[in-house]
Amino acid sequence: MSKKSIGQKSLHFPLTKIIIGFIVCIGIVRIAQTFIKKLMEITSFDKDFKNLIGGIFVAILAIISYSYLFKFYEKRKITEFSKKGIVKNLTLGIILGTILQSLTIFVIYLKGGYSIISINPILFIVPPLTVAFSSAIVEEILLRGIVFRITEEKLGSYLALIISAILFGAMHLANPNSSLIAGIGLAIQAGLLLAAAYIYSRNLWFPIAIHFAWNFTQSAIFGANVSGNTISKTLITSKIEGAEWFTGGQFGPEGSIQATLFCLVATIVLLALSHKEGKIIKPYWKKTTNR
């Protein structure tokens, strides 16, 4: 075996591809954030709109950097961001994410734990819109576009599902007011659901839309904490109180049992549909056996 072939294999080893993907995409995003922040400082825009413009700029650059990196790295067409079916995937994703979050809050309301204190000006949705939009795109590129997709190619859909879900939950353990239970809940809710959404749609628009709608509805509309983080401005100022098992406590509704159950049901449905339509990828050793 030649040194060149060893080098080529090392370069295209799954872990190598994941590390390079993270370094390039995160590096470009960090540089872009610094650049746009400096640029916005010389403008007279309101702070919230500066952040919104910056968030949109960073999100677009994240998509471009991912697309060009893997187009040349893997020498293929980037179907994850295909325009085909984009309206359908974004619409269904937003509807699903909104319904799941609304059901979660509805359980809290039924138990007398949710009340509206005030309804604020419409522009109060700008800060949570910025956070939801940028985080949905960047996190889905990193966790589903890079980690899950590359792992799935070798280990198959189900093992990749578990690995990426654990990683997603672990990443949120450092969040304010987080806990092991909250991390496990997020691993099941977002970690499994969003990867299942990718398997079913075979693009990133569907999980991005679910992720965005979940976070945006939770913060902007219902005025709740998102993964332990409090947004200063929301359309509705609310009061959420009660036992942590159904409110999520200071971590937010994502820490509730019903959020986990609702998302788990949606995950099972998507995986069942994916299995029926032949979209589940087998691990490499089963592919080899079947030849």
Side-chain angles (χ1 to χ4, degrees):
M1 187 178 291
S2 67
K3 291 184 178 180
K4 184 178 179 181
S5 63
I6 293 174
Q8 286 292 325
K9 284 191 174 183
S10 298
L11 184 63
H12 291 278
F13 186 69
L15 184 58
T16 305
K17 288 165 69 174
I18 289 172
I19 291 172
I20 290 175
F22 264 59
I23 290 173
V24 172
C25 292
I26 292 176
I28 290 176
V29 164
R30 294 299 186 194
I31 293 171
Q33 286 175 328
T34 302
F35 171 77
I36 197 66
K37 184 179 179 181
K38 294 291 184 182
L39 186 63
M40 287 295 106
E41 285 177 357
I42 64 176
T43 69
S44 57
F45 295 135
D46 177 80
K47 179 183 176 182
D48 292 340
F49 281 97
K50 285 182 180 180
N51 291 336
L52 178 60
I53 293 169
I56 293 172
F57 177 77
V58 167
I60 292 173
L61 201 56
I63 293 173
I64 293 172
S65 62
Y66 170 88
S67 299
Y68 275 93
L69 170 64
F70 287 103
K71 178 182 179 181
F72 291 104
Y73 194 171
E74 299 176 332
K75 295 180 173 58
R76 65 180 179 86
K77 184 179 180 181
I78 305 300
T79 56
E80 302 92 283
F81 283 115
S82 173
K83 294 177 182 178
K84 184 180 180 181
I86 183 173
V87 174
K88 175 185 174 182
N89 284 307
L90 289 176
T91 302
L92 289 177
I94 288 172
I95 291 172
L96 180 57
T98 301
I99 289 174
L100 290 172
Q101 183 57 235
S102 298
L103 287 172
T104 299
I105 297 294
F106 187 57
V107 171
I108 301 175
Y109 172 77
L110 288 178
K111 295 187 70 65
Y114 182 86
S115 57
I116 296 174
I117 296 174
S118 65
I119 298 178
N120 303 311
I122 189 68
L123 288 179
F124 273 43
I125 70 169
V126 174
L129 173 65
T130 302
V131 175
F133 179 80
S134 57
S135 64
I137 290 178
V138 173
E139 287 185 19
E140 289 313 300
I141 285 175
L142 296 176
L143 272 297
R144 258 59 64 177
I146 297 177
V147 175
F148 176 78
R149 180 184 60 80
I150 294 174
T151 305
E152 185 190 35
E153 290 174 357
K154 281 290 183 182
L155 303 182
S157 299
Y158 292 124
L159 276 176
L161 200 67
I162 294 170
I163 292 170
S164 63
I166 291 172
L167 180 59
F168 189 85
M171 285 175 59
H172 288 78
L173 288 176
N175 283 30
N177 305 303
S178 186
S179 65
L180 181 59
I181 293 176
I184 293 172
L186 272 181
I188 295 172
Q189 295 162 30
L192 293 181
L193 174 60
L194 297 172
Y198 175 80
I199 293 172
Y200 178 70
S201 63
R202 287 298 162 190
N203 67 71
L204 288 170
W205 296 123
F206 190 35
I208 283 172
I210 296 172
H211 196 150
F212 165 77
W214 173 274
N215 284 357
F216 179 74
T217 306
Q218 184 174 211
S219 57
I221 307 302
F222 294 117
N225 288 354
V226 178
S227 302
N229 296 298
T230 303
I231 306 295
S232 58
K233 294 179 180 179
T234 56
L235 184 63
I236 291 176
T237 299
S238 64
K239 183 178 182 181
I240 298 177
E241 54 188 352
E244 283 194 21
W245 70 267
F246 75 91
T247 65
Q250 291 300 308
F251 189 73
E254 289 165 317
S256 68
I257 185 66
Q258 71 270 19
T260 300
L261 292 175
F262 288 139
C263 290
L264 185 58
V265 170
T267 299
I268 293 171
V269 171
L270 287 173
L271 288 177
L273 291 172
S274 298
H275 183 78
K276 183 179 180 181
E277 296 178 17
K279 295 178 177 177
I280 302 297
I281 293 177
K282 295 178 181 180
Y284 75 90
W285 57 86
K286 285 193 175 182
K287 293 178 185 176
T288 305
T289 304
N290 293 336
R291 284 179 183 175

